[in-house]
Amino acid sequence: MDDAAVLYDKAFRNLTGIPAQSVHQQIHEYVSVPSAEGSPAIQTPWGDEFAPVIKAGVRCAEAWLEGSSLPLWWALSQNRKRHRQGDPQEAFEAGFLLRLQQTLIMRREAVTSQSTRFDA
């Protein structure tokens, strides 16, 4: 996953014309969405300056997962507006969607493992 984040970052920088020397940052400088429900942390292509925005996205997704009555699209669209357009909004979305991805994958795996235990 770390390699994918670096490749994404490199492709993005090539498309936008950002100098290549900044691509060679160490992996540890990138922000990760922390592990959840047994799922490993997920590396993002954003640097430490976006950590608060990514964490806000993660918290927003967790609030929705805990039983919010709001539709998912509304929680995402309304909360992303609290951040500046461009990279800050995209970093928020990454935190939000990666937390959902982690949770959905782990819950799917839990259901799959339960169904195979009963089938045996």
Side-chain angles (χ1 to χ4, degrees), residues 1-112:
M1 187 57 89
D2 292 343
D3 292 338
V6 170
L7 288 174
Y8 172 83
D9 185 55
K10 187 174 182 178
F12 178 77
R13 290 176 186 276
N14 285 337
L15 287 172
T16 59
I18 296 173
Q21 69 267 17
S22 61
V23 172
H24 299 291
Q25 297 175 356
Q26 294 295 318
I27 297 288
H28 68 276
E29 294 177 14
Y30 289 102
V31 177
S32 292
V33 172
S35 62
E37 297 191 25
S39 174
I42 300 176
Q43 195 90 32
T44 73
W46 284 280
D48 290 337
E49 68 271 19
F50 291 100
V53 179
I54 291 170
K55 289 177 184 176
V58 169
R59 284 191 305 273
C60 184
E62 288 172 344
W64 186 86
L65 287 164
E66 290 172 1
S68 172
S69 60
L70 295 174
L72 179 60
W73 67 269
W74 182 263
L76 175 59
S77 68
Q78 294 305 305
N79 285 288
R80 76 184 291 276
K81 291 177 184 178
R82 296 178 180 174
H83 305 283
R84 286 181 295 118
Q85 289 184 343
D87 284 343
Q89 282 186 348
E90 290 179 16
F92 173 84
E93 292 168 355
F96 186 94
L97 294 171
L98 288 171
R99 175 59 88 215
L100 288 178
Q101 177 181 326
Q102 286 173 318
T103 303
L104 291 172
I105 288 171
M106 294 312 293
R107 289 180 182 178
R108 179 183 64 203
E109 289 176 1
V111 168
T112 302

